[in-house]
Structures are given as C-alpha cells and as structure tokens.
Amino acid sequence: MGIFSGCLLASDYDGTLANSKGEIDKEVRDAIKYFTSNGGYFTVCTGRTKQGFHAYSEELMNAPVLLANGSMAYDFKTGETIFVNGIEKENLSALNYIRDNYHGIGIEYYGSDFSSYVINPDDRNVKHFNWQFIDFKVVNEYLPEAFPIVKVMVSVGEERCEDFQRFLDTVDLNKMKYIPQHGNFIEIIYNGSDKGKGLLKLAESLGVDRTRVFCVGDGANDVDMLKAAQIGFVPENGDILAKQAGNAAVKSNDEFAVADVIYKIEKYITKM
C-alpha cells in the first residue's frame, strides 16, 4: 500500500518520457520508482508496435505496455497479450482497394503474431524498419496469418500526404480509420482503437477506477488519451492539439516532464 495505490499513470514515450536525446533522465527514473514503490501502476502508451518498442524496462514499467496507439496491450514481463483491437479480415477489401488504386505507395503492416510485412517497399519503409530494428518480410498481399493486424503504415511521402488523406476520405474504410498527419507516413488502425480507449481498457483489466487514471503526452495521437484520463498532462514542448485536449501543463521533456507529473499527482491525491 502507498499514496499512489490504485493509480495508473501512462506516458507517451517519444517527446514525453524520453528527452530530446531519446533518453530517460535519472530524475525521471527516480520519480517513477517513487511512484511504483508507493503503489502506483506506471506504463507507456506509444504508437510503436511490440516489434519496434525496445525501451521496455521492468525496473520502471510495472503494468502492460499500450502499443500501436492503444490497439494492443502487451505484458513484456510475462509475454502475455492482454488485448488486441486490430484490423480484422472483414476489412480486407478496403485494404486491397487502397493498395490497388493509389499507386506508388509502400505499405507496412504489423500482425498480432508479431511479424512485420511490407508490400511494394520504398526507401522510407526500409529506413523505418531499420530505425526501429525490425525484421520484415516483403510480400505481395495481406497474409491471413497476420490478422488481426495491429496497424498499417502507408509510405506516401510528405509531398503527397494531404492528397493521400483526401483519397482515403473517398474510400469506405469499413471498421478502420486513419490518423491525420503531416509527414511521410499515414497510419491506419481499427476504428475502435485509440490511446484513450486502450488506456481505459487497461485500467479496467488492472482494477483501477477511472478517477485514478492519469496520463501525459505531447502529440496529436495523444489527444484521445488526454481526454480519457482523469487528468491529462501535457509537457511544455507539446503541440497545440495536445495542449487543447489536456487539462494540466507540466515542464518539458527536457526538464523532467514525467517527474513533474508525479509531483502534481501526489498533490492532487493528498487533496482528495
């Protein structure tokens, strides 16, 4: 038992838990250990898949990690998949329509079997896989054994990003959705998945009341999580969409954002 008993804190990784060098500062590590040693659950909620998330730390994360923007919860300690909200085979016709009608795109997809595949790979796909140290298979289609697919990432290039999203707006995506972005990749996930739904589903599996669910994130893909939590904290370096969705500000990721979050949660709890 401790002051944080029955609390769940989920943090985005890049730009939030990690500093601008991609490292977790000692001050942050010490704060998380204080949080967990006093009864709290701490985890990460990231857009990365299990294949590409190499920052798991048993020392820091004592709850299953939320992956692929909430599409999956995986317990790295036990090797157990807690839940998967993935793209099912009923969406195959829409996936094939995108592949066949918007040319010159490389399509990555990540199976719940923890395999990674790519259709028509380009340099961006290869760099993306290599950057995350992910082994991948080049294929011509969506393989049955990959379903449910945790997420699809389409390499379109920044210059065609908006055009591709306009194209997707004309497609019947069935039970899928895309995450609006401005960059080289567009991500497609199950329509019932987001970081917010994933966070609350994880809280339920841990027996944590919604009023004791907290999170911190800096980007547009954190918006649903920030809205779902009792308090959604946004670091100073967060983007405008995150700041509009959150209800509490903290120091930047280079000024130990997560440590500041834990300090503020403690103050909040003592006033309850």
Side-chain angles (χ1 to χ4, degrees), residues 9-270:
L9 170 58
S11 174
D12 176 55
Y13 190 82
D14 298 296
T16 305
L17 180 60
N19 61 27
S20 58
K21 296 179 182 178
E23 302 167 347
I24 304 176
D25 292 300
K26 181 181 183 301
E27 291 83 353
V28 172
R29 290 179 176 275
D30 289 345
I32 294 170
K33 291 174 188 175
Y34 172 68
F35 180 79
T36 56
S37 66
N38 282 278
Y41 289 111
F42 179 79
T43 192
V44 165
C45 187
T46 177
R48 299 193 191 198
T49 61
K50 175 185 177 290
Q51 299 93 308
F53 185 68
H54 307 291
Y56 170 73
S57 168
E58 186 176 335
E59 179 184 37
L60 300 178
M61 302 163 203
N62 63 345
V65 175
L66 289 161
L67 301 162
N69 288 317
S71 294
M72 169 183 280
Y74 182 78
D75 192 328
F76 281 83
K77 185 175 181 179
T78 65
E80 179 186 4
T81 298
I82 308 303
F83 65 79
V84 179
N85 288 328
I87 298 170
E88 300 287 356
K89 292 179 183 178
E90 62 189 297
N91 296 288
L92 184 58
S93 60
L95 291 171
N96 286 337
Y97 182 87
I98 295 167
R99 179 198 62 191
D100 296 338
N101 289 276
Y102 198 98
H103 302 290
I105 54 176
I107 303 172
E108 303 171 19
Y109 64 97
Y110 299 84
S112 53
D113 62 349
F114 305 130
S115 294
S116 304
Y117 308 89
V118 59
I119 299 169
N120 190 33
D122 59 22
D123 289 343
R124 287 183 295 267
N125 295 121
V126 175
K127 288 179 181 177
H128 188 237
F129 283 123
N130 290 342
W131 172 63
Q132 296 186 80
F133 302 100
I134 296 176
D135 293 327
F136 62 93
K137 301 175 184 177
V138 178
V139 294
N140 296 318
E141 59 185 349
Y142 293 93
L143 301 180
E145 59 266 31
F147 289 90
I149 293 172
V150 176
K151 72 172 180 178
V152 175
M153 290 194 70
V154 183
S155 169
V156 292
E158 191 169 359
E159 68 282 356
R160 293 202 298 166
C161 185
E162 291 188 7
D163 180 72
F164 182 66
Q165 289 173 87
R166 286 193 292 270
F167 165 75
L168 290 179
D169 289 336
T170 69
V171 178
D172 180 3
L173 292 177
N174 195 6
K175 294 183 179 179
M176 301 184 296
K177 65 180 178 182
Y178 71 89
I179 299 176
Q181 295 185 49
H182 301 284
N184 288 318
F185 289 89
I186 293 296
E187 185 172 316
I188 300 172
I189 60 176
Y190 170 60
N191 194 36
S193 289
D194 59 55
K195 284 190 175 186
K197 292 184 179 70
L199 176 63
L200 295 181
K201 193 165 185 175
L202 177 61
E204 182 180 4
S205 73
L206 295 171
V208 173
D209 188 85
R210 185 168 183 170
T211 61
R212 297 176 78 85
V213 175
F214 306 93
C215 75
V216 53
D218 71 307
N221 67 336
D222 297 314
V223 164
D224 294 304
M225 177 173 73
L226 291 165
K227 290 180 178 179
Q230 178 70 11
I231 302 179
F233 297 91
V234 182
E236 193 175 272
N237 57 288
D239 69 21
I240 185 63
L241 292 176
K243 289 178 178 177
Q244 289 173 346
N247 48 20
V250 290
K251 297 175 182 178
S252 78
N253 65 324
D254 286 327
E255 297 176 296
F256 323 128
V258 172
D260 195 24
V261 168
I262 291 169
Y263 167 73
K264 285 181 166 59
I265 291 174
E266 186 169 21
K267 287 183 67 176
Y268 172 77
I269 288 174
T270 56

